[in-house]
Amino acid sequence: MPYHAPVRDHVFLLRDVLDLDRYANLPGFADAAMDTVEQILEEGGKFAEGVLAPLNSIGDKEGCHWASDNTVTTPKGFKDAYRQMVEGGWPALGSEPAYGGQGLPAVVNVAFSEMTSSANMAFGMYPGLTHGAYSAILEGGTEEQKTLYLPKMVSFQWAGTMNLTEPQCGTDLGLLTTKAVPQADGTYKITGQKIWISGGEQDLTENVIHLVLARIEGAPAGVKGISLFIVPKFIPDANGNPGVRNTVACVGLEEKMGIHGNATCVIQHDESTGWLLGVENAGLKLMFVMMNEARLGVGVQGLAQGEAAYQAAVEFAKDRLQGRSLTGPKNPSGPADPIIVHPDVRRMLMDAKATLEAGRLFLLWTALHGDLAKRSPDAAVVEKAHDYMGLMTPVLKGYLTDKGFKICSDAMQVHGGSGFTEHFPASQYLRDCRISLIYEGTNGVQALDLVGRKLAANGGRAVMSFFAEIDGFVAENAGDESLKLFVDALAGAKAKLQEATFWLMQNGLANPDNAGAASTDYMHLFGLTGLSYMWALIAKAAGAKIAAGESDPFYANKLVVGRYFIDRLLPETDSHLAKLKTGAAAMMALPAEAF
Amino acid sequence: MPYHAPVRDHVFLLRDVLDLDRYANLPGFADAAMDTVEQILEEGGKFAEGVLAPLNSIGDKEGCHWASDNTVTTPKGFKDAYRQMVEGGWPALGSEPAYGGQGLPAVVNVAFSEMTSSANMAFGMYPGLTHGAYSAILEGGTEEQKTLYLPKMVSFQWAGTMNLTEPQCGTDLGLLTTKAVPQADGTYKITGQKIWISGGEQDLTENVIHLVLARIEGAPAGVKGISLFIVPKFIPDANGNPGVRNTVACVGLEEKMGIHGNATCVIQHDESTGWLLGVENAGLKLMFVMMNEARLGVGVQGLAQGEAAYQAAVEFAKDRLQGRSLTGPKNPSGPADPIIVHPDVRRMLMDAKATLEAGRLFLLWTALHGDLAKRSPDAAVVEKAHDYMGLMTPVLKGYLTDKGFKICSDAMQVHGGSGFTEHFPASQYLRDCRISLIYEGTNGVQALDLVGRKLAANGGRAVMSFFAEIDGFVAENAGDESLKLFVDALAGAKAKLQEATFWLMQNGLANPDNAGAASTDYMHLFGLTGLSYMWALIAKAAGAKIAAGESDPFYANKLVVGRYFIDRLLPETDSHLAKLKTGAAAMMALPAEAF
């Protein structure tokens, strides 16, 4: 069941839809001319297909092993693959040249990480979290900290982790009790238990740099008293090499439904030595640099598992002969037709394809805004790009993981009974994908972040600017008959999203439970509207190719899949709007004991 | 995480909504006066809670073990629980008194099997399939066969299985190749491999009676040449006791995502001795007696796993303290509020509750029609009841398992990170439930059965009679202000289902792919309409209680949950209707190589 990296799709989206080359004047983009990007993605695709994908099932079946000396062994082959990844220079792709990175735009890294995640989600989490920790240190570290840690994290010689959750404290970080006691030498002694720490211990890197949320003795209660600390597994010596072993230990692994190849650790800090990262009591803000990056990364994972599962389902649907087409045999010389002839099998594959192709663009388009936020010289562009990153992150995380899971489940369904057995990959994709709806803030938390914070920020500036962008696109393309279907659909979806937004503004203020009750439907309405916009952009680019005489069916097929999206997925906007407008009354009416 | 059998709900539905006692004049029902039924369900609930539920996680973690002598060991405790079940007389509940059964209406047995399945789905499959095999022998066996096999299958001393699938042949039974060679003594020698045989071998019963589909040498190709055979593991001796070991063997078990406690066997028939059941080349019809019963049973499983997962989620949501209510602290003396105060957590619990309570009635209401089909002296009642059984079986199987899985996934989501670990039961419910969407005909096959066969049968008589029944209810209750919400919603849903039905009649004939393309959305539209009717029936019964002065909030709460169903689930009818009316064009347009 080989995985095929969708490099052609990435290149089409980056070159023809997003027109990456128009940003060549921005820092970093000069090295990211599309021809270079294409080569990078082709090589990256080969690495994902050839090195990571073959280890996916092994990682699932073997899992990670914890020993009583608090060491963790990753599945067979992971160590060698990690070495190859480091040697290939893949980790450095999107990192700062000042610390040894290649400084390419993040949008290129998103494309690459989709492929690594499709090929092997559990493996891809190790570098993914390291990059997040790198970003937090880059943002908040002193020059000394950056010089000490970043080069080894850029090269992935050292790994990074996020030590956030405690047994009594997940979403509600105000309940955090891990304590940090200041020492005379400026360090802190950190004590407490952290759980669900992905990659908290492993045998892949010579050091692990934990970013740890803790409360400095005497700090205010709640979220205003939380600081962030760097706690290295081995304290760097004078030469910056791993030195004294710190008193931080992995005291066990979680048994879990999926991502068995990734070590989910219980981490015990027992007066471990830590260094303050950033400002006292302002740790949460810095952790959210890492968290927001991780949330986007989880959106990528949802899409990536969906893509891999879809590919497996397509292969099965073409191979498996069972029954005859309702419109007459399509494989008359065989004992039966391949099941891809059956409409209901098609429905599942087309649902997947219509979501994945536009979802991929939605991720790239957002990541590109992330690059513009950092690199554009135009203040208006930077402001809008920042706004979009804030607004879209919860949508991409929540919507794409919900849909990724649906696609994985449909991919299992295409397999029939085979899908439920562990001989086919459908079960692993479904089990691995499931965590993406939960971690880095459950999808319900994403939805609440969207309606509670992101919509309201700066007087609704972000969403208004999204509406204005869509209105602009609709006006600009109103006369184009070939795009009419896409433009009309987009205008319709946007009108519903706008109606829902106004409903929220009016009713969420009156009763905050109305906002909470509406949040998940609103997030899905937003996701569908986003995808509708992405399909319009794809249709425009594909149409231009066709108009220019391009006869490769690749482009005409995009229009078919986009049409399918409008026919078969976009109608869900109606029910989301209808549901959310009913408010919180019936939802909140029962007393707890009636459940 | 104890499971609580929802006996009060069952009793309310059977006594107050379905008014079981009005059938006291029918055979079998005399012994099923509601007071008796209540006692039976209370005892059954205790058995499920006390004996089966504690083994659920053990069965998942331990699984079944195959040994090279082709024996299978079930998980620790299953054997003893099975013995208790047999001794308690539970198997005989719905079976014929002529063969040692208690002859109670099937509707009572459905209530009981929901509880066993919630408590331990993998365990519940052993008796479930035995009852199906019993039904096929009861329907098609000779007097001699019935006398020989049925008493021991009614008591569950012997188990039954369904040997249907082969590696190349699942949904498309015409591809079946297992062959049967007639012998001089009237028996057959049966040779071939059968896969995915649930309970095909175990250590619970002294004998296993396989019902095997095979093709008699020289029989026509395709489905018209398939016969059904009784192949006992031990051939009964002259006294009807297990005698000579037959040459049928379990040569391996499937590794699968869930239901680890149930042995999914590869069964090899190597000239095993079989007896024809029913008529040559008419085996499929008889197998469908078992299959239809199994399909209804799978609908029960979907609901049952949803119920168990919902209960676990409720317990977690009441216990877990995290964050504060959006409308101010609800647990001011604690460090945080229980998460059940958060609207988005409520949304998931209410979605579940609104589906489960009406879904349970939908199952009981249909099972009751199954009883009427067998026991009513009124030919019109019998005809309608038969029609309903045919029409509703695919809806219940497909819709309730799709929704059961959704509920299990939401229940995991309520658990947050804990849900993904194997320390909490959410993962097992999700993994176990997933097979219910696949086996006994995938949900896509159910949807096709619904639109392709069941709608068209007898000129659409079944669906027209369902519409007429709803119209009758709407007319009868039109003046009742207290029911207006429910009646209006039902009338609206029925209008959409009728519109979809007419669309199918017109467009399915013109192009059968239109029917295939519409099938799953149609099935969901049907399920929602069915639930809308069920909620109207529940609201009417609860309203009558309240009007009679009943102040127990149990009844008022039903009205709240029903109102939630109308607000928050019924709007999906719109998108299903809109989707299905777009037809097959975009769905079928791409060539296979474009996937």
Side-chain angles (χ1 to χ4, degrees):
Chain A
M1 195 66 58
Y3 162 69
H4 299 288
V7 175
R8 187 173 186 187
D9 265 82
H10 277 123
V11 169
F12 164 68
L13 297 175
L14 293 172
R15 177 183 278 138
D16 299 317
V17 181
L18 296 177
D19 190 12
L20 208 63
D21 280 340
R22 74 182 140 148
Y23 301 108
N25 61 322
L26 300 187
F29 279 86
D31 298 330
M34 265 317 297
D35 292 351
T36 311
V37 169
E38 185 165 3
Q39 275 178 6
I40 292 171
L41 293 181
E42 267 169 15
E43 285 308 308
K46 279 183 205 157
F47 176 72
E49 291 170 355
V51 177
L52 301 185
L55 298 176
N56 197 35
S57 167
I58 294 169
D60 182 50
K61 293 194 165 51
E62 203 178 297
C64 293
H65 295 287
W66 178 84
S68 54
D69 62 353
N70 297 335
T71 58
V72 169
T73 312
T74 56
K76 203 177 297 172
F78 271 41
K79 204 165 172 170
D80 187 54
Y82 193 89
R83 185 188 51 72
Q84 289 185 57
M85 181 182 66
V86 171
E87 285 175 11
W90 292 111
L93 218 58
S95 304
E96 285 295 313
Y99 303 104
Q102 297 180 31
L104 288 173
V107 67
V108 180
N109 208 33
V110 164
F112 175 67
S113 45
E114 183 208 310
M115 300 191 288
T116 56
S117 185
S118 282
N120 196 324
M121 175 167 161
F123 181 93
M125 289 171 68
Y126 293 110
L129 284 161
T130 298
H131 193 275
Y134 150 88
S135 297
I137 296 176
L138 184 70
E139 173 88 10
T142 63
E143 275 316 308
E144 198 189 339
Q145 287 170 335
K146 292 199 251 188
T147 309
L148 181 59
Y149 292 106
L150 294 188
K152 302 224 165 155
M153 294 176 78
V154 164
S155 69
F156 284 21
Q157 272 176 279
W158 294 1
T161 77
M162 169 156 55
N163 275 228
L164 189 147
T165 305
E166 299 175 6
Q168 81 294 348
C169 147
T171 301
D172 185 354
L173 289 169
L175 301 176
L176 189 137
T177 60
T178 293
K179 70 172 178 185
V181 181
Q183 305 297 304
D185 63 356
T187 64
Y188 293 79
K189 292 288 179 210
I190 301 193
T191 302
Q193 191 178 77
K194 297 288 183 175
I195 60 170
W196 305 338
I197 309 308
S198 299
E201 179 60 66
Q202 30 77 357
D203 55 357
L204 306 173
T205 60
E206 61 180 40
N207 206 356
V208 180
I209 309 307
H210 301 285
L211 297 194
V212 184
L213 285 183
R215 201 180 291 282
I216 296 172
E217 265 195 332
V223 293
K224 289 183 176 153
I226 298 176
S227 305
L228 187 59
F229 298 89
I230 299 176
V231 179
K233 175 179 167 187
F234 292 100
I235 296 171
D237 65 17
N239 301 316
N241 293 318
V244 175
R245 180 68 166 88
N246 207 343
T247 53
V248 53
C250 169
V251 297
L253 296 180
E254 294 288 343
E255 249 195 277
K256 52 200 195 300
M257 189 169 81
I259 51 166
H260 296 155
N262 196 276
T264 306
C265 302
V266 180
I267 296 287
Q268 191 73 41
H269 294 279
D270 184 13
E271 301 205 331
S272 56
T273 303
W275 284 262
L276 183 69
L277 180 60
V279 178
E280 270 187 28
N281 299 336
L284 224 48
K285 205 177 155 202
L286 210 47
M287 180 56 101
F288 263 86
V289 172
M290 179 165 187
M291 179 65 96
N292 282 326
E293 185 175 320
R295 286 179 172 177
L296 208 64
V298 175
V300 173
Q301 289 178 329
L303 183 100
Q305 293 313 103
E307 170 70 28
Y310 159 79
Q311 290 190 17
V314 166
E315 186 173 324
F316 189 88
K318 289 180 183 178
D319 281 357
R320 174 76 171 169
L321 305 181
Q322 206 77 182
R324 291 293 184 188
S325 163
L326 298 168
T327 56
K330 299 292 180 282
N331 176 34
S333 61
D337 290 340
I339 62 170
I340 200 169
V341 304
H342 302 308
D344 196 65
V345 170
R346 284 277 180 147
R347 176 185 60 78
M348 294 186 274
L349 298 178
M350 289 293 288
D351 277 3
K353 202 168 167 59
T355 300
L356 292 167
E357 294 191 357
R360 178 175 291 125
L361 178 59
F362 204 6
L363 279 165
L364 296 175
W365 176 87
T366 304
L368 182 58
H369 280 103
D371 287 317
L372 295 178
K374 280 186 194 146
R375 304 174 195 240
S376 175
D378 181 335
V381 169
V382 169
E383 180 183 279
K384 180 174 147 178
H386 266 300
D387 283 350
Y388 276 16
M389 282 300 281
L391 185 66
M392 301 303 169
T393 295
V395 176
L396 290 169
K397 196 283 185 185
Y399 182 76
L400 290 183
T401 59
D402 273 356
K403 291 298 148 185
F405 183 66
K406 175 72 167 65
I407 291 168
C408 289
S409 184
D410 280 350
M412 176 174 281
Q413 200 66 14
V414 169
H415 282 78
S418 303
F420 196 67
T421 72
E422 297 289 355
H423 297 294
F424 286 81
S427 166
Q428 186 185 356
Y429 291 135
L430 184 78
R431 290 183 289 100
D432 285 358
C433 186
R434 189 61 187 75
I435 189 60
S436 69
L437 286 68
I438 298 174
Y439 61 12
E440 317 306 353
T442 65
N443 288 357
V445 168
Q446 303 303 319
L448 203 59
D449 177 48
L450 176 65
V451 303
R453 285 197 206 98
K454 301 304 173 59
L455 276 191
N458 303 304
R461 194 176 68 199
V463 73
M464 290 308 157
S465 114
F466 185 53
F467 290 154
E469 177 169 339
I470 292 178
D471 288 343
F473 181 90
V474 168
E476 192 183 310
N477 296 285
D480 186 340
E481 267 309 302
S482 71
L483 272 183
K484 185 169 166 35
L485 182 72
F486 293 92
V487 169
D488 288 353
L490 174 59
K494 181 248 162 187
K496 282 167 210 160
L497 183 62
Q498 191 159 337
E499 185 180 342
T501 308
F502 291 155
W503 187 92
L504 271 172
M505 287 174 177
Q506 284 169 2
N507 297 280
L509 278 178
N511 174 4
D513 274 349
N514 280 326
S519 58
T520 289
D521 282 298
Y522 184 80
M523 181 176 77
H524 276 260
L525 180 52
F526 207 120
L528 283 162
T529 306
L531 259 51
S532 182
Y533 183 36
M534 297 301 123
W535 270 117
L537 295 174
I538 293 171
K540 186 167 177 165
K545 284 279 179 187
I546 294 165
E550 181 61 76
S551 63
D552 186 331
F554 177 87
Y555 302 101
N557 290 344
K558 295 287 175 217
L559 300 180
V560 173
V561 181
R563 160 72 187 272
Y564 180 88
F565 173 82
I566 294 168
D567 278 3
R568 288 275 172 175
L569 297 176
L570 205 52
E572 290 167 14
T573 50
D574 287 316
S575 55
H576 289 303
L577 180 60
K579 287 178 185 193
L580 72 83
K581 285 169 67 180
T582 63
M587 191 181 282
M588 304 305 287
L590 290 187
E593 63 271 18
F595 285 89
Chain B
M1 195 65 61
Y3 162 70
H4 300 288
V7 174
R8 185 173 187 187
D9 265 82
H10 278 124
V11 170
F12 165 67
L13 297 175
L14 293 172
R15 176 182 281 139
D16 298 317
V17 182
L18 295 176
D19 189 11
L20 208 64
D21 280 340
R22 73 183 140 150
Y23 302 107
N25 60 325
L26 300 186
F29 279 84
D31 297 331
M34 266 316 298
D35 291 350
T36 311
V37 168
E38 185 165 4
Q39 275 179 4
I40 292 171
L41 294 181
E42 266 168 16
E43 285 307 309
K46 280 182 206 159
F47 176 71
E49 291 170 354
V51 178
L52 301 185
L55 298 175
N56 197 34
S57 168
I58 294 169
D60 182 50
K61 293 196 164 51
E62 203 180 298
C64 294
H65 296 287
W66 177 86
S68 55
D69 62 354
N70 298 334
T71 57
V72 169
T73 312
T74 57
K76 203 177 299 171
F78 272 41
K79 205 165 170 170
D80 186 53
Y82 194 89
R83 185 188 52 72
Q84 290 185 56
M85 181 182 65
V86 171
E87 286 175 10
W90 292 111
L93 217 59
S95 303
E96 287 294 314
Y99 303 104
Q102 297 180 30
L104 287 173
V107 67
V108 179
N109 207 33
V110 163
F112 175 67
S113 47
E114 183 208 309
M115 300 189 289
T116 56
S117 186
S118 281
N120 196 324
M121 175 168 161
F123 182 92
M125 290 172 68
Y126 294 109
L129 285 160
T130 298
H131 194 273
Y134 150 88
S135 296
I137 295 175
L138 184 70
E139 173 88 11
T142 61
E143 275 314 310
E144 199 188 340
Q145 287 170 336
K146 291 198 253 188
T147 309
L148 182 58
Y149 291 106
L150 293 187
K152 302 222 166 159
M153 294 176 77
V154 163
S155 69
F156 284 21
Q157 272 177 280
W158 294 2
T161 79
M162 167 156 57
N163 275 228
L164 188 149
T165 304
E166 299 175 7
Q168 79 295 346
C169 148
T171 302
D172 185 354
L173 288 169
L175 301 176
L176 187 139
T177 59
T178 293
K179 71 172 180 186
V181 182
Q183 305 296 304
D185 64 356
T187 65
Y188 292 78
K189 291 286 179 211
I190 298 185
T191 303
Q193 191 178 76
K194 297 288 183 175
I195 61 172
W196 304 340
I197 309 308
S198 299
E201 180 60 65
Q202 28 76 359
D203 56 356
L204 306 173
T205 60
E206 61 180 40
N207 205 356
V208 181
I209 309 306
H210 301 286
L211 297 195
V212 184
L213 284 184
R215 201 180 290 283
I216 296 173
E217 264 195 334
V223 293
K224 290 184 174 152
I226 299 176
S227 305
L228 187 59
F229 298 89
I230 298 176
V231 180
K233 175 179 166 187
F234 291 101
I235 296 171
D237 65 17
N239 301 316
N241 293 319
V244 176
R245 179 69 165 88
N246 207 341
T247 54
V248 50
C250 169
V251 297
L253 296 181
E254 295 288 342
E255 249 195 279
K256 53 201 196 299
M257 189 168 81
I259 49 165
H260 296 155
N262 196 275
T264 306
C265 303
V266 180
I267 294 288
Q268 192 73 42
H269 293 278
D270 185 13
E271 301 206 330
S272 57
T273 303
W275 284 263
L276 183 68
L277 180 61
V279 180
E280 270 188 29
N281 299 335
L284 224 49
K285 206 177 154 202
L286 211 47
M287 180 57 99
F288 263 85
V289 171
M290 180 164 185
M291 178 65 96
N292 281 327
E293 183 174 321
R295 285 179 173 176
L296 209 62
V298 175
V300 172
Q301 289 178 329
L303 182 99
Q305 293 312 104
E307 170 70 28
Y310 159 79
Q311 289 191 16
V314 166
E315 186 172 325
F316 189 88
K318 289 181 184 177
D319 282 356
R320 174 77 169 167
L321 304 181
Q322 206 75 180
R324 289 293 183 189
S325 163
L326 298 170
T327 55
K330 299 293 179 280
N331 176 34
S333 60
D337 290 340
I339 62 171
I340 200 168
V341 304
H342 301 309
D344 196 66
V345 170
R346 283 277 179 146
R347 177 186 59 79
M348 296 186 274
L349 299 179
M350 289 293 287
D351 278 3
K353 202 167 167 59
T355 300
L356 292 167
E357 294 191 357
R360 177 173 293 126
L361 177 59
F362 204 5
L363 278 165
L364 296 175
W365 177 87
T366 304
L368 181 58
H369 280 104
D371 286 318
L372 295 178
K374 281 187 194 146
R375 304 172 195 240
S376 174
D378 180 335
V381 170
V382 169
E383 180 183 279
K384 181 174 145 178
H386 265 301
D387 283 351
Y388 275 16
M389 282 300 282
L391 184 66
M392 300 304 169
T393 296
V395 175
L396 291 169
K397 196 281 186 185
Y399 182 76
L400 290 184
T401 59
D402 274 356
K403 290 299 148 186
F405 182 67
K406 175 73 166 65
I407 292 167
C408 288
S409 183
D410 281 349
M412 176 175 281
Q413 200 66 15
V414 169
H415 282 79
S418 303
F420 196 67
T421 71
E422 297 289 355
H423 297 293
F424 286 81
S427 167
Q428 185 185 357
Y429 292 134
L430 184 78
R431 290 183 288 101
D432 285 357
C433 185
R434 188 61 187 75
I435 188 59
S436 69
L437 286 68
I438 298 174
Y439 61 13
E440 316 307 353
T442 64
N443 288 358
V445 168
Q446 304 304 319
L448 203 58
D449 177 49
L450 176 65
V451 302
R453 284 197 206 98
K454 301 302 174 57
L455 276 191
N458 304 306
R461 194 176 67 200
V463 73
M464 290 310 156
S465 112
F466 185 53
F467 290 155
E469 177 169 340
I470 292 178
D471 288 343
F473 181 90
V474 168
E476 192 182 311
N477 296 284
D480 185 341
E481 267 310 301
S482 71
L483 271 183
K484 184 168 166 37
L485 183 73
F486 293 92
V487 168
D488 288 353
L490 174 59
K494 181 250 166 187
K496 283 167 210 160
L497 182 62
Q498 190 159 337
E499 184 180 342
T501 307
F502 292 154
W503 186 93
L504 270 172
M505 286 174 177
Q506 284 169 1
N507 297 279
L509 278 178
N511 174 3
D513 274 349
N514 280 327
S519 58
T520 289
D521 282 298
Y522 184 80
M523 181 175 78
H524 277 260
L525 181 51
F526 207 121
L528 283 161
T529 307
L531 259 52
S532 183
Y533 183 36
M534 297 302 123
W535 270 117
L537 295 174
I538 292 170
K540 186 168 177 164
K545 284 279 179 187
I546 295 166
E550 181 61 77
S551 63
D552 187 332
F554 178 87
Y555 302 101
N557 289 344
K558 295 288 175 215
L559 300 179
V560 173
V561 181
R563 159 72 187 274
Y564 181 88
F565 173 82
I566 293 168
D567 278 3
R568 287 277 172 172
L569 297 176
L570 205 52
E572 291 168 12
T573 50
D574 287 316
S575 56
H576 289 304
L577 179 61
K579 288 179 184 192
L580 72 84
K581 285 170 69 181
T582 63
M587 192 181 284
M588 304 305 286
L590 290 188
E593 64 271 19
F595 284 89

